[in-house]
């Protein structure tokens, strides 16, 4: 699986550095990427030629004597990108600029999960967002086994889709170049470039809610792995729908927490009711959240021990009740993370679905930059950034 990992192209490294830290000079780009000055020059040229980057004086910098510095800027309006996040009952779509800033967002309910029906809604929403704008790419994200390279959804349990050539179908319906990606990985890309992952080259994003997902970035490369939800952390734990036993999802997914709270109260609760009871001090309900928190903490420790990220971002619907098990999560992480892995920083961040849709758009931005670099032959000269 790890053989599939792509080395980050020089173009992407340079563009990401300007995006995150710009306006910055070529010298600063060299320092931030670890690329040689020649490799930076080679990577910058096609990006400037294509109009994605521009060199001009920084209006924010104080005027100095002598030749003015000409730092690199990203040209935000050079291209627009659409990002779509699919859930079982809603299409969430955004239009971003080249800087990944959301300019417009639309939510549209889904009344059917049949492939043709979903594509019709996606196409309609995208047509509306694209009107009057030069859209370079559409990214679609959804949970499940999603292959970006072939554009195939191998399996998406919540939509009950198998072997759907989604990228081709959406592209045909919208007329836009279309990429698809697993939703957690797309969100991880966006967080790496624009969110809590900025400034670190290795980080993990863990989502807790309906399922437990994980995106991993190591040395600035997104790994095509991260099935954290089915990592077993209790040999005597409950059976999981995947056929395994003691999986993180079988111990900490929303439905498990809700079933546990409902069982101790003796009636079916909503999640809002369960959180409210836990906050009002119901010890039995609180204990259910604490148990899930310990399971999540062990899951985060597994990530820390295996990958050694500098930072873990925890997000997802479950973060709404985070105060009920924050102590257990942090204690289990601290107790189980070994050696240097324990130094990993935990950031808890609610990220609404608009942000997930933005992640799909950012996948498109990365792809455009990768291709514009590759087309001019700058992909070859690559050194991974120094840690
Ligand atoms: Zn499982």
């Amino acid at each position: 699986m790890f053989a599939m990992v792509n080395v980050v192209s020089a173009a992407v490294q340079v563009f990401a550095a300007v995006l995150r830290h710009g306006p910055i000079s070529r010298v600063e780009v060299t320092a931030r990427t670890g690329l040689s000055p020649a490799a930076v020059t080679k990577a910058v040229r096609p990006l400037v030629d294509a109009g994605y980057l521009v060199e001009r004086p920084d209006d924010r910098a104080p005027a100095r004597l002598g030749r003015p510095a000409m730092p690199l800027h990203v040209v935000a309006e050079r291209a627009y990108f659409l990002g779509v996040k699919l859930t079982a009952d809603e299409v969430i779509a955004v239009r971003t600029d080249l800087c990944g800033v959301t300019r417009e967002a639309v939510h549209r309910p889904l009344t059917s999960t049949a492939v043709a029906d979903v594509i019709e809604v996606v196409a309609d929403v995208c047509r509306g967002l694209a009107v009057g704008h030069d859209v370079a790419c559409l990214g679609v994200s959804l949970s499940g086994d999603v292959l970006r390279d072939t554009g195939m959804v191998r399996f998406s349990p919540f939509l009950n889709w198998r072997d759907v050539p989604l990228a081709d179908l959406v592209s045909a319906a919208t007329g836009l170049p279309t990429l698809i990606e697993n939703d957690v990985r797309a969100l991880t890309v966006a967080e790496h470039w624009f969110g809590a992952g900025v400034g670190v080259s290795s980080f993990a994003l863990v989502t807790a809610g309906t399922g437990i997902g994980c995106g991993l970035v190591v040395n600035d490369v997104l790994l095509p792995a991260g099935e954290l939800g089915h990592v077993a952390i209790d040999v005597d734990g409950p059976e999981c729908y995947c056929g395994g036993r003691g999986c993180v999802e079988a111990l900490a997914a929303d439905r498990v927490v809700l079933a546990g709270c409902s069982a101790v109260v003796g009636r079916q609760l909503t999640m809002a009711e369960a959180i409210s009871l836990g906050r009002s001090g119901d010890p039995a309900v609180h204990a259910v959240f604490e148990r899930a928190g310990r399971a999540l903490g062990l899951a985060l420790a597994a990530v820390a021990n295996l990958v050694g990220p500098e930072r873990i971002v925890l997000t997802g619907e479950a973060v709404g009740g985070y105060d009920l098990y924050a102590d257990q999560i942090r204690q289990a992480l601290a107790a189980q993370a070994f050696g240097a892995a324990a130094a990993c920083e935990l950031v808890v961040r609610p990220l609404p679905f608009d942000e997930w849709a933005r992640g799909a758009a950012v996948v498109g931005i990365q792809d455009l930059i990768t291709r514009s670099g590759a087309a001019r032959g700058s992909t070859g000269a690559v050194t991974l950034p120094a840690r």
Side-chain angles (χ1 to χ4, degrees), residues 229-230 240-242 244 247:
H230 300 285
C240 179
Y241 69 88
C242 73
C247 299

Side-chain angles (χ1 to χ4, degrees), residues 139-162:
V140 180
S141 78
L142 65 163
S143 80
D145 188 2
V146 177
L147 304 178
R148 191 199 296 195
D149 290 351
T150 59
M152 290 288 292
V153 176
R154 290 267 302 279
F155 180 45
S156 186
F158 74 103
L159 289 166
N160 199 23
W161 289 359
R162 280 183 193 278

